[in-house]
Amino acid sequence: MKKSLLFLFAQLLTVTLFAQSFSIEGQVFDATDNGAVPGAHVLLISEDQSVSKSAITDLDGRFIFKNIADGDYGLGISFIGYADITRAVTVNGQSRDLGKIGMEEGIDLEEVVVVENIITAIQLGDTTQINADAYKTLPDATAEDLLEKMPTVTITNGKMQAQGEDVQKVLVDGKPFFGDDPAAAIKNLPAEVIDKIQIYDEQSEQAQLTGFDDGETSKTINIILKPGMKEGQFGKIYGGYGTDDRYKLGGNINIFDGDQRISIIGMSNNINQQNFSSEDLLGVIGSSGNSRGGRGGRGGGGRGGRGGGSPSASASDFLVGQQDGITAANAGGINFSDQWGAKVEVAASYFFNKSDNVSTQITEQQYFDTEGLTEQYNEESTVESTNTNHRFSGELRYKMDEHNDFRIRPKLSYQSNSGDQNIFGQSTLENDFLSQTDNNFQADLMALNVSTDLLWRHQFDKRGRTISTRFSSGFAPQRGESFLGSESIFGKVAPDSTSLNQQANLDLNSWNAAADIRYTEPLGKNGRIMVTYRGSYQQDDSDKSTFDFDEATQDYDAFNPELSNVFSNDYFTHSLGAGYSLRMGRKFRLSTDAKLQYAALNNEQTIPEIQDFNQSAWNILPSANLRYRMSRTEHLRFSYRTQTQQPSITQLQNVLDNSNPLQLTIGNPDLQQSYAHNLRFRYSKTNTEKNSIFYAMLNGSVTNNYLGQRTILSSAENTVIDNIVLAEGTQLTQPLNLDGYWNARAFTTYGFPIKALKSNLNIDLSGTFTRTPAEVNSELNFSNNLNTGVGLTLSSNISETVDFTIGSRSALNTVNNTVLTNGDSRFFNQNSRVKFNWIIAKGIVFRTNLTHHFYGGLGDDFDQTYVLWNMSLGKKIFKNQRGEINLSVFDLLKQNNSLTQTITDLYTESVQTNVLQQYVMLSFKYDVSHFGNKK
């Protein structure tokens, strides 16, 4: 009852905040004849990206931005026929009137179709702003089609990266769009409504207020709509049916009315189109989901998710693989945002999806031991599963007065997952039989996750004196039931067979809360100091009961204590810190801080045996961040951070997991938390004369007490390790603290136009080196993995009727081991793609998409090459050619394949998965586009 009341209090707790606000205004005029320039697009963005606003000049060329806090801003002005203007603006205790701003003629209005004269990108502080008009797409293109043409942006298998990092947020005019799901955002906005694209690292809201970079950034893309596209309705509906009963239905509608925006999406298909995020498939996996200790590849983690006899409390023990294979999906969602008066902003989104998946996989693994012997593990698996997910997210911002601002973000997700998995696995040593298992696993799991994040910020009358408080809490119960049946054979000389027939029930409750308080005080003219405190608490109660089938009673009533557990876990952290920030004009900013952290873990276990795991540790966590603006177009950033990682509960529990009798795992109660040092350099330059963008990044980290693993490969009969008897042909994996882990990554990208081809070329180079320690049969092995890659993307900028994108990404991977030298390897893989769209005369549209995959250097059993070629022919119909009838062929050459190659410190792996085969589909699509003030 006490915990429930505390949780309820935490969810309902509200407090208050914000900054004194001013205005920025000005008047845009023609520098030649002094006439006003109405309809010019004006953009204002703060240096820390906390503010992003746009406006259109009125008939007198005037614009005004209200409710602007003290700080430094970048102002950008653009209009057809004139050169873009960028200007730095500082607000310091009073409103700013910029007076008249003259625009110089830069483009002949009769030659506005000449793309090379359009400025591609400008730099606004740390934000790279790209002009959408500099890139031509077909009239019915999406934001995804537009973004993949832009420099530093890549989209592979629906996953978007910008400047070498995963994009975590997509905003529209600075507001959330479909929660934190970038995929849903870019697939449901048409390219024709987009004016600018901004790419930046969004800081936490407390960092935006205090001026101290806390390292909590997320790569963000902000889509700025064209002035005439902020009021209207746009979207599409589609449907199709093809051979082998393949079908697709769906659509989206966006209703924009100034600040109020409503977007609705829906789809149903059985052709593997999934426009929802990974949360829908993995929403029930918590921090302990990777309970295998991270063996570095799909092999360990993939089979680690079945868990019928597993004693761990991780929800992943009850999940069945669902992302591979063939999926039939039904999904829908709604997104809403609005401005209520001058003080309240709201945004909310809801998603639902249900997916039915069938996946068959053939897995081959080669293990290497210290004696140079090779053990082969082959597996065939079939999975049928159904996953249902509901998720809601919301945000409310309230400017209480000129000093206080309040924000609340509630989230809720509910998931149910049921599935059936069959596995046949066999191990051999130098082609001699060792062992085999035949498993059937069935699971039914539900998981609820409720969380709330509250933030109150206050700025005093004295500039630089602030206080902010952030409070977060969450509750995540999980319930599940699973059944495991297996028949296994061990030994090549005197084979011994064993069988399992078990039922497991899971009842897990997880609760967490954290509070963060930060106070800043000005020090001198350019300095500021900060004092911080953070406290957090996480509590887990787990009751997992495993029962063997009793032949006498014909029921699962024989309690198995060795494969059951009952435990309660409490994890506390307290940290007290101080920092200093120095700001020299707009060019230089330095912030440093250090925290003293105390962490304590108390775990009480009563089953399978009574024991306590109690740990505590003191750590000093320094950090530093430097920003240097070399010029208006060049920026350099440096950051240094330290962090600790606590072992998961699953990793700490010394209870055997026998969900795969050939590959056993067990926890380690002696694990200590790891301590990592992280360095990052980033440099960006935008050249408006050459319309080029250059970006470079260098990362590195060193980890002490790395959470690695030790593995015992048993090639002898009945090997005994820590009182665990390993039958011949089995292996045991256990997490272990190891020193010597470090990694480094370099990435650079350069985008520029090729005028002769009327196209844009983007080149990126990357290199990653990782040194990973692991213990194999009691010997320490270091695996040194070097990956070098190059990527090329050529995208057309010819016209709105011809559109192509040609891209290729190649990587060379080299692995060297200090002990397991027979596992050394060197292989090459390349993925190339050609996309060509052409609107032929009289509304006939031809589209083709060709992808080539190549793997080489892994041996005859692993090397492969194949081509996936899709093609379609359509006819535009109706007024403004908004409708289209289309005939398409998927996998024209019948070569579609799915092969995943993985090399770790212990094994090489090849996973072959079933895929969609060739089908033909006839479909219809209609584009909705109606704007009340379209320009």
Side-chain angles (χ1 to χ4, degrees), residues 125-154:
D126 291 329
T127 298
T128 300
Q129 179 175 289
I130 305 175
N131 188 355
D133 289 337
Y135 301 89
K136 290 190 177 297
T137 59
L138 266 61
D140 57 356
T142 65
E144 183 177 23
D145 298 323
L146 175 64
L147 280 165
E148 69 177 353
K149 288 175 171 287
M150 293 185 170
T152 80
V153 178
T154 61

Side-chain angles (χ1 to χ4, degrees), residues 315 318 417 442-447 477-483 503-508 543-545:
F318 287 80
N417 184 290
Q442 301 174 28
D444 191 358
L445 173 72
M446 66 73 61
Q478 299 171 7
R479 307 287 184 268
E481 179 183 51
S482 68
F483 296 88
Q503 177 194 25
N505 300 308
L506 173 68
D507 187 353
L508 171 65
D543 183 350
K544 180 172 181 180
S545 303

Side-chain angles (χ1 to χ4, degrees), residues 435-499:
S435 57
Q436 74 177 35
T437 184
D438 193 349
N439 283 2
N440 174 260
F441 176 75
Q442 301 174 28
D444 191 358
L445 173 72
M446 66 73 61
L448 176 68
N449 195 325
V450 184
S451 65
T452 300
D453 188 276
L454 307 173
L455 175 65
W456 169 72
R457 304 186 303 177
H458 176 81
Q459 181 166 305
F460 297 89
D461 290 331
K462 184 175 182 179
R463 187 185 182 193
R465 180 181 294 170
T466 68
I467 186 171
S468 64
T469 301
R470 181 180 179 182
F471 181 83
S472 60
S473 63
F475 179 58
Q478 299 171 7
R479 307 287 184 268
E481 179 183 51
S482 68
F483 296 88
L484 172 67
S486 69
E487 296 287 341
S488 304
I489 301 174
F490 305 96
K492 58 187 176 186
V493 178
D496 181 31
S497 63
T498 62
S499 62

Side-chain angles (χ1 to χ4, degrees), residues 175 230 255-262 336-339:
K175 297 182 179 180
K230 298 179 184 293
I255 306 170
F256 284 13
D257 185 7
D259 291 321
Q260 185 182 96
R261 300 177 179 183
I262 302 173
F336 171 82
S337 64
D338 199 3
Q339 176 89 33

Side-chain angles (χ1 to χ4, degrees), residues 13 25 71 136 208 259 263 300 309 457 461 474 493 524 605 676 695 747 750 769 778 805 821 860 933:
L13 180 65
E25 59 182 300
K136 290 190 177 297
Q208 294 170 16
D259 291 321
S263 300
R457 304 186 303 177
D461 290 331
V493 178
Q605 178 177 288
Y695 180 85
F747 175 84
Y750 181 54
F769 179 84
S778 301
T805 300
T821 55
D860 294 338
N933 188 29

Side-chain angles (χ1 to χ4, degrees), residues 338-352:
D338 199 3
Q339 176 89 33
W340 294 346
K343 293 186 176 182
V344 178
E345 291 183 50
V346 295
S349 64
Y350 165 75
F351 272 99
F352 162 80

